PDB file of all heavy atoms in Angstrom:
ATOM      1  N   VAL A1139      31.663 -36.471  46.682  1.00  0.00           N
ATOM      2  CA  VAL A1139      31.352 -36.658  48.104  1.00  0.00           C
ATOM      3  C   VAL A1139      31.976 -37.968  48.614  1.00  0.00           C
ATOM      4  O   VAL A1139      32.552 -38.016  49.683  1.00  0.00           O
ATOM      5  CB  VAL A1139      29.801 -36.731  48.294  1.00  0.00           C
ATOM      6  CG1 VAL A1139      29.488 -37.112  49.750  1.00  0.00           C
ATOM      7  CG2 VAL A1139      29.171 -35.387  47.948  1.00  0.00           C
ATOM      8  N   ARG A1140      31.932 -38.984  47.765  1.00  0.00           N
ATOM      9  CA  ARG A1140      32.507 -40.270  48.187  1.00  0.00           C
ATOM     10  C   ARG A1140      34.035 -40.170  48.280  1.00  0.00           C
ATOM     11  O   ARG A1140      34.648 -40.803  49.188  1.00  0.00           O
ATOM     12  CB  ARG A1140      32.116 -41.359  47.173  1.00  0.00           C
ATOM     13  CG  ARG A1140      30.638 -41.714  47.234  1.00  0.00           C
ATOM     14  CD  ARG A1140      30.146 -42.399  45.989  1.00  0.00           C
ATOM     15  NE  ARG A1140      30.717 -43.730  45.858  1.00  0.00           N
ATOM     16  CZ  ARG A1140      30.654 -44.435  44.731  1.00  0.00           C
ATOM     17  NH1 ARG A1140      30.078 -43.925  43.665  1.00  0.00           N
ATOM     18  NH2 ARG A1140      31.194 -45.645  44.678  1.00  0.00           N
ATOM     19  N   MET A1141      34.663 -39.405  47.424  1.00  0.00           N
ATOM     20  CA  MET A1141      36.091 -39.206  47.492  1.00  0.00           C
ATOM     21  C   MET A1141      36.460 -38.461  48.784  1.00  0.00           C
ATOM     22  O   MET A1141      37.474 -38.741  49.415  1.00  0.00           O
ATOM     23  CB  MET A1141      36.596 -38.442  46.267  1.00  0.00           C
ATOM     24  CG  MET A1141      36.559 -39.252  44.978  1.00  0.00           C
ATOM     25  SD  MET A1141      36.948 -38.302  43.487  1.00  0.00           S
ATOM     26  CE  MET A1141      38.645 -37.823  43.830  1.00  0.00           C
ATOM     27  N   VAL A1142      35.652 -37.469  49.152  1.00  0.00           N
ATOM     28  CA  VAL A1142      35.882 -36.748  50.378  1.00  0.00           C
ATOM     29  C   VAL A1142      35.730 -37.643  51.594  1.00  0.00           C
ATOM     30  O   VAL A1142      36.522 -37.595  52.546  1.00  0.00           O
ATOM     31  CB  VAL A1142      34.893 -35.539  50.522  1.00  0.00           C
ATOM     32  CG1 VAL A1142      34.995 -34.907  51.912  1.00  0.00           C
ATOM     33  CG2 VAL A1142      35.185 -34.484  49.436  1.00  0.00           C
ATOM     34  N   ILE A1143      34.750 -38.562  51.541  1.00  0.00           N
ATOM     35  CA  ILE A1143      34.561 -39.536  52.611  1.00  0.00           C
ATOM     36  C   ILE A1143      35.785 -40.459  52.762  1.00  0.00           C
ATOM     37  O   ILE A1143      36.231 -40.745  53.865  1.00  0.00           O
ATOM     38  CB  ILE A1143      33.291 -40.375  52.369  1.00  0.00           C
ATOM     39  CG1 ILE A1143      32.059 -39.493  52.544  1.00  0.00           C
ATOM     40  CG2 ILE A1143      33.225 -41.582  53.328  1.00  0.00           C
ATOM     41  CD1 ILE A1143      30.774 -40.176  52.138  1.00  0.00           C
ATOM     42  N   VAL A1144      36.326 -40.853  51.609  1.00  0.00           N
ATOM     43  CA  VAL A1144      37.580 -41.676  51.641  1.00  0.00           C
ATOM     44  C   VAL A1144      38.697 -40.917  52.287  1.00  0.00           C
ATOM     45  O   VAL A1144      39.450 -41.465  53.145  1.00  0.00           O
ATOM     46  CB  VAL A1144      37.958 -42.112  50.209  1.00  0.00           C
ATOM     47  CG1 VAL A1144      39.366 -42.727  50.203  1.00  0.00           C
ATOM     48  CG2 VAL A1144      36.976 -43.120  49.615  1.00  0.00           C
ATOM     49  N   LEU A1145      38.840 -39.642  51.956  1.00  0.00           N
ATOM     50  CA  LEU A1145      39.926 -38.828  52.493  1.00  0.00           C
ATOM     51  C   LEU A1145      39.758 -38.648  54.013  1.00  0.00           C
ATOM     52  O   LEU A1145      40.728 -38.691  54.778  1.00  0.00           O
ATOM     53  CB  LEU A1145      39.979 -37.476  51.806  1.00  0.00           C
ATOM     54  CG  LEU A1145      41.185 -36.594  52.092  1.00  0.00           C
ATOM     55  CD1 LEU A1145      42.496 -37.360  51.790  1.00  0.00           C
ATOM     56  CD2 LEU A1145      41.157 -35.351  51.245  1.00  0.00           C
ATOM     57  N   ILE A1146      38.525 -38.424  54.459  1.00  0.00           N
ATOM     58  CA  ILE A1146      38.240 -38.298  55.892  1.00  0.00           C
ATOM     59  C   ILE A1146      38.597 -39.609  56.598  1.00  0.00           C
ATOM     60  O   ILE A1146      39.226 -39.589  57.661  1.00  0.00           O
ATOM     61  CB  ILE A1146      36.771 -37.941  56.141  1.00  0.00           C
ATOM     62  CG1 ILE A1146      36.455 -36.519  55.632  1.00  0.00           C
ATOM     63  CG2 ILE A1146      36.439 -38.014  57.658  1.00  0.00           C
ATOM     64  CD1 ILE A1146      34.997 -36.149  55.659  1.00  0.00           C
ATOM     65  N   GLY A1147      38.178 -40.721  55.997  1.00  0.00           N
ATOM     66  CA  GLY A1147      38.537 -42.026  56.584  1.00  0.00           C
ATOM     67  C   GLY A1147      40.013 -42.251  56.642  1.00  0.00           C
ATOM     68  O   GLY A1147      40.540 -42.762  57.617  1.00  0.00           O
ATOM     69  N   GLN A1148      40.713 -41.819  55.575  1.00  0.00           N
ATOM     70  CA  GLN A1148      42.160 -41.977  55.548  1.00  0.00           C
ATOM     71  C   GLN A1148      42.833 -41.103  56.637  1.00  0.00           C
ATOM     72  O   GLN A1148      43.798 -41.524  57.228  1.00  0.00           O
ATOM     73  CB  GLN A1148      42.687 -41.591  54.155  1.00  0.00           C
ATOM     74  CG  GLN A1148      44.166 -41.811  53.963  1.00  0.00           C
ATOM     75  CD  GLN A1148      44.618 -43.239  54.101  1.00  0.00           C
ATOM     76  OE1 GLN A1148      43.785 -44.134  54.000  1.00  0.00           O
ATOM     77  NE2 GLN A1148      45.879 -43.478  54.330  1.00  0.00           N
ATOM     78  N   CYS A1149      42.318 -39.904  56.850  1.00  0.00           N
ATOM     79  CA  CYS A1149      42.833 -39.047  57.910  1.00  0.00           C
ATOM     80  C   CYS A1149      42.675 -39.676  59.271  1.00  0.00           C
ATOM     81  O   CYS A1149      43.575 -39.663  60.106  1.00  0.00           O
ATOM     82  CB  CYS A1149      42.168 -37.683  57.868  1.00  0.00           C
ATOM     83  SG  CYS A1149      42.691 -36.600  56.524  1.00  0.00           S
ATOM     84  N   ALA A1150      41.501 -40.315  59.490  1.00  0.00           N
ATOM     85  CA  ALA A1150      41.244 -40.996  60.743  1.00  0.00           C
ATOM     86  C   ALA A1150      42.226 -42.140  60.968  1.00  0.00           C
ATOM     87  O   ALA A1150      42.792 -42.320  62.062  1.00  0.00           O
ATOM     88  CB  ALA A1150      39.813 -41.505  60.815  1.00  0.00           C
TER      89      ALA A1150
END
Side-chain angles (χ1 to χ4, degrees):
V1139 173
R1140 291 161 68 192
M1141 290 173 63
V1142 171
I1143 290 172
V1144 169
L1145 190 55
I1146 293 172
Q1148 184 63 18
C1149 285

